[in-house]
């Protein structure tokens, strides 16, 4: 049984293709970039991406969508096999396919093909919605939500419905718990009526994007009759309006990279947390954090394999880390990396990281995942989950990027990043480090740095545990339990 409550995703699927390579010159016959060493990948897109991301969170996911017999439909159907439960409605035409030409993590061109749309609902699709504990509507304007609108409206009166809208699609059904338009989508929907607040008061005093987002959200609350509207603001986080003053949820960090699929990551996380019974405010906060991590890890292009499954245990440097390493190398700088669990960040950690940063021109910190810490330290660890450890490390001025890896050692991640220097605390010896030979293979160097004696997360945990035991004995001595209980 899934550790998290199930979710039904209703919406339009796409087939996404990326052709990614390097572009470092222009063609001789036209002022266009030349993309070389291209790698071609395919992945499920649209509602299918949202469903796969929710399934990767450990959920039992049912995807209600329109598929046909065309090649793209068959490809997506194969990708989703074993990942989510499919409930299909008829597709008229060919499934939409979007192809991006990429240079690194930047799109140069997109080619769209296929004009298929949902034909009509089915009793099986209506039954899936009627029995859903929670529903995510991932509307890409191709009709699936439209043909099942009545079933969605009925379910919204009894279960949480999250609606991720599209300018070509319809408005959320009344009673929707949370609508999640982007800033541009919110502006599109709100401007169906006159929007006086969107006209600058003067050349230097126009409304800020935040004020505009708040105005759009208030208007959409009235237009859509939803319980709440969250306007996503990219790297600035999200603005949640439930009437009255809005709640701004800032992003935990400014993630740079490919943002394709970030809206699906946001909506899938919010819907899942509402399915688990969480308050809307907490669901939005977790969704902002999840979307930020998603972009930092390279977006949909990086985290989905050609089979449509999450990249899993393969370590991947975040998009920010890759970009940072490229930037530093381009100016002949020195890339430094350091690693560890960093379970309870203490003075020894801070001194080590500050010293490591002084060795070069940037510092990338490689952090063991929760599963990796548990394997190394035992079932009681980590005390602090990976997302919180990353957030604390990123707040240090000496840290330029943080990457989480799932292996017991960081060797595969180091092979991906190839730093110039791997810094470790002086409590290690070079003979203890399996990374030393790997670093030498590309001309890198392992260095040991002074480490404050007596500081360790394990000792802090032991000290706290002894303190709890002592307090327990003290309480028992003051309040003895007699034979009569």
């Amino acid at each position: 049984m899934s550790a998290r409550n199930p979710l039904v995703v209703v919406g339009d699927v796409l087939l996404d293709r990326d052709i990614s390579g390097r572009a470092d010159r222009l063609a001789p016959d036209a002022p266009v970039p030349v993309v070389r060493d291209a790698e071609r990948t395919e992945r499920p897109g649209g509602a299918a991406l949202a469903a796969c991301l929710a399934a990767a969170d450990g959920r039992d996911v049912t995807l209600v969508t329109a598929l046909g017999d065309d090649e793209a439909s068959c490809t997506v159907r194969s990708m989703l096999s074993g990942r989510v439960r499919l409930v299909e409605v008829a597709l008229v035409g060919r499934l939409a396919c979007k192809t991006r030409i990429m240079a690194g993590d930047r799109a140069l061109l997109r080619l769209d093909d296929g004009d298929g749309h949902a034909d009509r609902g089915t009793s099986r699709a209506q039954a899936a919605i009627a029995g859903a504990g929670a529903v995510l509507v991932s509307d890409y304007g191709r009709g699936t939500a439209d043909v099942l609108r009545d079933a969605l409206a009925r379910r919204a009166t009894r279960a949480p419905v999250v609606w991720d809208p599209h300018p070509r699609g319809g408005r959320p059904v009344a009673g929707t718990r949370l609508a999640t338009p982007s800033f541009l989508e919110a502006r599109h929907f709100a401007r169906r009526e006159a929007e006086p607040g969107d006209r600058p008061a003067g050349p230097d005093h126009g409304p800020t994007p935040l004020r505009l987002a708040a105005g759009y959200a208030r208007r959409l609350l009235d237009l859509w009759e939803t319980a709440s509207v969250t306007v996503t603001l990219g790297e600035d986080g999200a603005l949640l309006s439930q009437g009255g003053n809005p709640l701004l949820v800032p992003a935990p960090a400014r993630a740079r990279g490919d943002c394709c699929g970030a809206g699906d990551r946001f909506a899938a996380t919010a819907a899942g947390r509402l399915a688990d019974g969480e308050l809307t405010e907490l669901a939005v906060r977790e969704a902002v954090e999840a979307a930020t991590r998603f972009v930092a890890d390279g977006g949909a292009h990086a985290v989905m394999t050609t089979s449509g499954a999450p990249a899993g245990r393969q370590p991947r440097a975040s998009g920010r880390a890759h970009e940072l390493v490229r930037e530093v190398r381009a100016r002949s700088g020195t890339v430094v990396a350091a690693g560890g669990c960093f379970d309870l960040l203490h003075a020894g950690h801070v001194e080590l990281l500050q010293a490591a940063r002084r060795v070069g021109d940037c510092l990338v910190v490689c952090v063991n995942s929760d599963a990796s810490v548990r394997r190394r330290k035992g079932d009681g660890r980590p005390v602090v989950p990976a997302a919180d450890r990353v957030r604390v490390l990123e707040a240090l001025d000496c840290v330029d990027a943080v990457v989480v890896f799932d292996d017991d050692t960081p060797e595969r991640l180091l092979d991906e990043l190839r730093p110039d220097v791997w810094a470790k605390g002086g409590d290690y010896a070079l003979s203890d480090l399996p990374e030393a030979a790997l670093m030498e293979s590309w001309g890198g160097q392992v260095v040991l740095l002074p480490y404050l004696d007596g500081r360790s997360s394990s000792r802090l945990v032991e000290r706290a545990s002894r303190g709890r035991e002592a307090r327990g004995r003290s309480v028992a001595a003051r309040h003895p339990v007699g034979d009569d209980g």
Side-chain angles (χ1 to χ4, degrees):
M1 180 181 293
S2 172
R4 297 185 174 185
N5 288 332
L7 182 68
V8 172
V9 179
V10 178
D12 311 299
V13 304
L14 315 169
L15 175 60
D16 285 344
R17 291 177 171 140
D18 283 346
I19 301 175
S20 305
R22 293 188 293 168
D24 47 21
R25 65 185 179 90
L26 297 178
D29 54 344
V32 295
V34 175
V35 177
R36 59 192 181 90
D37 300 327
E39 174 188 351
R40 291 164 172 79
T41 58
E42 293 183 328
R43 64 178 183 275
L49 174 60
C52 284
L53 293 172
D57 291 338
R59 296 190 186 280
D60 180 6
V61 177
T62 298
L63 173 60
V64 180
T65 192
L67 288 169
D69 295 326
D70 57 288
E71 181 181 354
S73 290
C74 294
T75 299
V76 170
R77 193 180 285 112
S78 175
M79 288 177 173
L80 296 176
S81 177
R83 307 293 174 186
V84 302
R85 184 180 300 104
L86 268 177
V87 175
E88 297 184 23
V89 300
L91 179 76
V92 176
R94 293 181 296 114
L95 189 73
C97 178
K98 299 179 183 293
T99 303
R100 298 189 304 168
I101 312 296
M102 308 280 292
D105 58 7
R106 290 178 173 82
L108 303 178
L109 180 70
R110 197 180 89 180
L111 307 175
D112 287 4
D113 187 30
D115 57 357
H117 62 275
D119 184 22
R120 61 187 179 278
T122 64
S123 58
R124 186 170 174 233
Q126 292 167 355
I129 295 170
V135 179
L136 167 60
V137 178
S138 184
D139 188 2
Y140 275 77
R142 297 178 182 273
T144 302
D146 295 334
V147 301
L148 295 166
R149 190 171 186 85
D150 290 344
L152 291 167
R154 288 191 295 271
R155 197 60 193 153
T157 65
R158 296 178 176 272
V161 172
V162 174
W163 199 292
D164 193 11
H166 191 282
R168 291 199 302 266
R171 64 173 58 183
V173 296
T176 291
R177 178 78 60 86
L178 175 66
T180 63
S182 67
F183 180 86
L184 294 179
E185 290 166 345
R187 183 175 68 182
H188 166 84
F189 288 114
R191 281 183 171 179
R192 287 179 172 176
E193 299 182 21
E195 185 67 70
D198 200 14
R199 290 197 291 267
D204 300 319
H205 303 288
T208 64
L210 188 60
R211 183 180 172 186
L212 288 172
Y216 298 150
R218 284 195 304 271
R219 180 172 292 272
L220 294 179
L221 275 175
D222 295 335
L223 289 174
W224 288 346
E225 301 179 75
T226 59
S228 53
V229 171
T230 292
V231 179
T232 56
L233 303 172
E235 63 181 14
D236 292 323
L239 189 79
L240 170 64
S241 180
Q242 296 176 297
N245 292 322
L247 173 68
L248 177 63
V249 182
R254 288 191 172 269
R256 302 178 184 178
D258 183 9
C259 62
C260 177
D264 297 299
R265 175 69 278 181
F266 181 95
T269 300
R273 300 315 286 155
L274 290 178
D276 294 340
E278 219 169 64
L279 295 174
T280 302
E281 294 89 338
L282 294 176
V284 169
R285 179 175 176 176
E286 292 190 28
V288 168
E289 293 174 351
T292 301
R293 290 194 301 271
F294 179 85
V295 174
D297 288 341
H301 172 73
V303 303
M304 300 296 289
T305 67
T306 55
S307 67
R313 294 176 55 88
Q314 294 295 327
R316 296 200 64 91
S318 70
R320 170 59 185 153
H322 271 310
E323 182 182 357
L324 176 67
V325 169
R326 286 195 298 267
E327 290 172 356
V328 172
R329 290 220 170 96
R331 57 177 188 267
S332 301
T334 298
V335 176
V336 183
C341 300
F342 301 100
D343 193 3
L344 294 176
L345 196 68
H346 52 70
H349 290 141
V350 174
E351 181 166 299
L352 170 67
L353 295 174
Q354 288 173 335
R357 181 61 177 81
R358 290 193 292 269
V359 172
D361 300 288
C362 74
L363 173 62
V364 178
V365 180
C366 306
V367 179
N368 294 76
S369 70
D370 291 346
S372 177
V373 175
R374 196 172 300 114
R375 290 194 300 270
R376 294 185 58 188
K377 305 289 188 179
D379 289 340
R381 303 284 296 276
V383 176
V384 179
D388 290 351
R389 288 184 279 134
V390 168
R391 188 169 184 178
V392 171
L393 287 165
E394 288 177 335
L396 297 177
D397 289 340
C398 58
V399 175
D400 298 287
V402 182
V403 187
V404 177
F405 64 93
D406 198 41
D407 292 329
D408 291 337
T409 67
E411 292 176 82
R412 284 199 292 171
L413 180 56
L414 288 176
D415 190 43
E416 184 181 339
L417 285 172
R418 301 208 164 196
D420 302 296
V421 176
W422 175 241
K424 296 295 291 185
D427 53 344
Y428 284 87
L430 285 178
S431 59
D432 297 332
L433 295 173
E435 308 95 274
L438 179 67
M439 290 290 299
E440 291 175 1
S441 70
W442 60 75
Q445 177 65 51
V446 174
V447 299
L448 300 181
L449 296 172
Y451 193 83
L452 284 178
D453 189 34
R455 274 73 168 183
S456 114
S457 296
S458 296
R459 290 182 184 178
L460 289 173
V461 171
E462 291 171 6
R463 192 180 307 158
S465 178
R466 288 197 300 269
R468 286 194 299 269
E469 292 172 1
R471 286 193 297 272
R473 288 194 297 269
S474 176
V475 170
R478 291 197 304 269
H479 303 283
V481 178
D483 293 339
D484 57 358

